[in-house]
Amino acid sequence: MIRVVLPAHLKNLAQVTGEVRLDVIGPVATQRLVLDTLEARYPMLLGTIRDRQSGRRRAFVRFYACEEDLSNDPPDTPLPDEVVGGREPFIILGAMAGG
Amino acid sequence: MSGVRVLVGTRKGAFTLTSDGRRDDWTVDGPHFGGWEIYHLTGSPADPDRLYASQSSGWFGQLIQRSDDGGKSWNPVGNDFAYAGDVGEHLWYDGTPRPWEFKRIWHLEPSRDDPDTVYAGAEDAALYVSTDGGQKWTERTALRTHPTGGAWQPGAGGMCLHTIILDPAHRDRIYVAISAAGAFRSDDAGASWLPINKGLRSGEIPDQDSEVGHCVHHITQHPSRPDTLFMQKHWDVMRSDDAGATWREVSGNLPSDFGFPIAVHAHEPETVYVVPIKSDSEHYPPEGKLRVYRSRTGGEEWEPLTAGLPQSHCYVNVLRDAMAVDTLDPCGIYFGTSGGQVYRSADGGDTWAPIVRDLPAVLSVEVQVLP
């Protein structure tokens, strides 16, 4: 079970409160697999985290876990054991910017 | 008595304003999608309970929302706006080639007779259509791949397709306008396109007779005169009486012929409304006086409408999709400002009053007359 923290706008869009808990099915839990699983459960999030065409992280979205910025990790990099074990959340957030 | 619902898109959410046919007392509902930019919120002419909203943000991209109950509840529908086939290139501001890149939907135009069919105008310029209530979007590629497309350049606000007119008389005729490519017409439901910019004069481009490159801000049409079009260009108010084949300037005695919106009275096809803005470098009304100008002669002769509008220290802007007319008698006129006011006139523009004063900056205003 992987815990995912969404930014407020995406919580509202997905109509969830608190953390999202995902059972990720696959040999190795990666950023890509977590996001695929998240979007499969909440299809309204398609395109809001990753570009619909390129599949790349949107420029103003960041991924944090275990006090590390994982945003620029290759999407198939295994996630930290603490995230895979559910001891730490995988945090998706909007970059700090004006407006 | 009929009711009226005004649909307002703002920088930070959507609002609906409702009243009875007197249009004096209003109920304000919102924000919906708080914190998101709502470039356009509009209703189906075939089913007033079917609404569509273009919801976007710089962080989380583009969503399309649909309501089937007049805005009481909303559901996200499809947001996969893919450029079909070869993406190709257009010109960037500095004249270098740049691949088309989807940024947002500026305008949604529902079909006149099918609530599930809706067109969408994109930045970078492209025309999409959905025939299943917004779930799936298909590009009408002939526009983006028009032979002139490689020469299109963005205006200051981006290379946006902001105007879509589905002709009421010719079923397969569509007009679109793109900043800063110009106006185009299709007579075969989008299978092919003709630039319709003859007669436009744009000091921003070197060749005044250029087929494209004109910064058209908005176009409108009265359904009883489908071949007559009125255009607010970057500078100049223009008129065509031959379905866009040729244009002539009708700015006449306007204090400034720069502006964004243009609208036609619901029952008088020669009565036209604009909101003059001082200049393209000063996006506010001349002399700090917010004035709607009305022509009852199809242009050239304009009168200021000021009753109820601020006539001192007013420095708001009114954007291209932020003016609408209702079909009641007398005709109601509505517009929203960058200062968050939405004004209404229930007497064809003679007098005005704010419905709301403190919304976020208004991006779009549409109005529905409800049974």
Side-chain angles (χ1 to χ4, degrees):
Chain A
M1 184 271 298
I2 289 183
R3 299 157 52 202
V4 177
V5 174
L6 293 172
H9 279 314
L10 299 190
K11 280 185 190 171
N12 290 339
L13 184 62
Q15 299 183 334
V16 300
T17 56
E19 294 178 353
V20 172
R21 291 165 184 257
L22 298 175
D23 289 321
V24 175
I25 310 299
V28 180
T30 62
Q31 201 181 92
R32 186 195 307 276
L33 195 53
V34 167
L35 295 174
D36 287 348
T37 306
L38 179 71
E39 291 169 350
R41 188 194 289 185
Y42 302 103
M44 67 284 280
L45 297 180
L46 280 163
T48 64
I49 299 167
R50 298 181 292 184
D51 181 85
R52 286 295 301 251
Q53 308 310 315
S54 68
R56 289 198 294 269
R57 172 180 57 81
R58 295 186 55 79
F60 293 163
V61 172
R62 310 295 293 186
F63 305 138
Y64 292 173
C66 305
E67 300 186 352
E68 297 285 340
D69 183 353
L70 311 182
S71 306
N72 293 315
D73 284 2
D76 293 319
T77 304
L79 290 171
D81 289 343
E82 289 81 356
V83 172
V84 177
R87 294 184 293 281
E88 290 285 339
F90 181 72
I91 301 169
I92 300 170
L93 74 164
M96 193 183 298
Chain B
M1 175 181 282
S2 299
V4 171
R5 180 162 55 218
V6 179
L7 307 172
V8 183
T10 80
R11 287 271 178 219
K12 295 294 180 184
F15 297 81
T16 58
L17 320 176
T18 51
S19 177
D20 62 23
R22 284 189 292 273
R23 295 161 287 183
D24 287 328
D25 299 316
W26 293 85
T27 300
V28 179
D29 184 40
H32 303 280
F33 326 119
W36 293 73
E37 292 184 316
I38 307 299
Y39 266 63
H40 199 207
L41 175 70
T42 193
S44 162
D47 175 3
D49 280 343
R50 171 61 64 83
L51 307 182
Y52 293 98
S54 172
Q55 172 188 2
S56 64
S57 91
W59 288 265
F60 305 117
Q62 178 71 52
L63 295 161
I64 301 292
Q65 296 272 356
R66 190 181 95 193
S67 174
D68 296 331
D69 55 14
K72 295 184 185 71
S73 64
W74 293 86
N75 286 296
V77 287
N79 66 346
D80 192 0
F81 292 95
Y83 294 119
D86 179 21
V87 172
E89 293 177 326
H90 61 83
L91 293 184
W92 191 233
Y93 293 102
D94 62 3
T96 59
R98 194 176 183 95
W100 249 263
E101 180 185 358
F102 178 86
K103 298 182 180 67
R104 62 176 58 81
I105 294 297
W106 278 63
H107 185 92
L108 295 160
E109 189 67 32
S111 155
R112 293 177 182 274
D113 50 21
D114 176 12
D116 285 339
T117 295
V118 54
Y119 289 78
E123 175 190 356
D124 287 337
L127 181 68
Y128 294 87
V129 65
S130 170
T131 57
D132 59 4
Q135 299 290 354
K136 183 175 186 297
W137 295 92
T138 303
E139 189 192 2
R140 290 278 193 264
T141 55
L143 179 63
R144 180 176 50 85
T145 60
H146 188 273
T148 62
W152 300 356
Q153 279 185 287
M159 200 170 78
C160 51
L161 195 165
H162 51 68
T163 299
I164 303 169
I165 298 174
L166 307 175
D167 193 285
H170 309 91
R171 185 168 181 81
D172 290 335
R173 177 169 288 177
I174 306 172
Y175 298 93
V176 301
I178 297 167
S179 294
F184 297 81
R185 191 185 81 213
S186 172
D187 291 328
D188 50 16
S192 64
W193 294 88
L194 180 71
I196 50 166
N197 301 301
K198 192 173 182 182
L200 304 187
R201 291 288 177 265
S202 302
E204 301 79 15
I205 57 176
D207 177 7
Q208 296 304 298
D209 297 318
S210 176
E211 192 176 25
V212 295
H214 302 274
C215 192
V216 177
H217 281 183
H218 197 58
I219 301 175
T220 192
Q221 173 201 59
H222 192 278
S224 73
R225 305 247 185 109
D227 286 349
T228 295
L229 302 172
F230 295 98
M231 173 193 292
Q232 173 69 67
K233 195 163 64 63
H234 192 89
W235 294 99
D236 305 333
V237 177
M238 307 294 293
R239 173 184 181 133
S240 171
D241 290 299
D242 51 13
T246 58
W247 297 87
R248 62 186 171 89
E249 186 178 356
V250 293
S251 306
N253 61 333
L254 287 171
S256 166
D257 57 19
F258 184 90
F260 291 96
I262 187 165
V264 186
H265 190 288
H267 314 300
E268 301 170 12
E270 292 293 311
T271 297
V272 188
Y273 301 86
V274 295
V275 183
I277 294 296
K278 185 177 178 187
S279 72
D280 54 0
S281 56
E282 301 153 290
H283 279 188
Y284 49 71
E287 304 166 66
K289 299 177 180 179
L290 182 56
R291 291 166 289 187
V292 176
Y293 273 71
R294 177 174 62 195
S295 172
R296 294 186 182 279
T297 56
E300 295 289 3
E301 301 163 24
W302 300 86
E303 58 176 325
L305 307 174
T306 61
L309 297 176
Q311 295 305 297
S312 63
H313 311 300
C314 183
Y315 295 94
V316 297
N317 195 1
V318 180
L319 297 181
R320 69 190 83 229
D321 249 346
M323 180 181 254
V325 301
D326 70 31
T327 55
L328 296 178
D329 189 11
C331 178
I333 322 292
Y334 306 81
F335 70 91
T337 77
S338 58
Q341 301 86 32
V342 178
Y343 290 97
R344 73 99 179 93
S345 169
D347 54 14
D350 290 340
T351 61
W352 298 85
I355 301 174
V356 283
R357 289 182 179 275
D358 299 304
L359 298 186
V362 174
L363 299 175
S364 69
V365 172
E366 298 285 357
V367 58
Q368 300 177 291
V369 173
L370 306 174

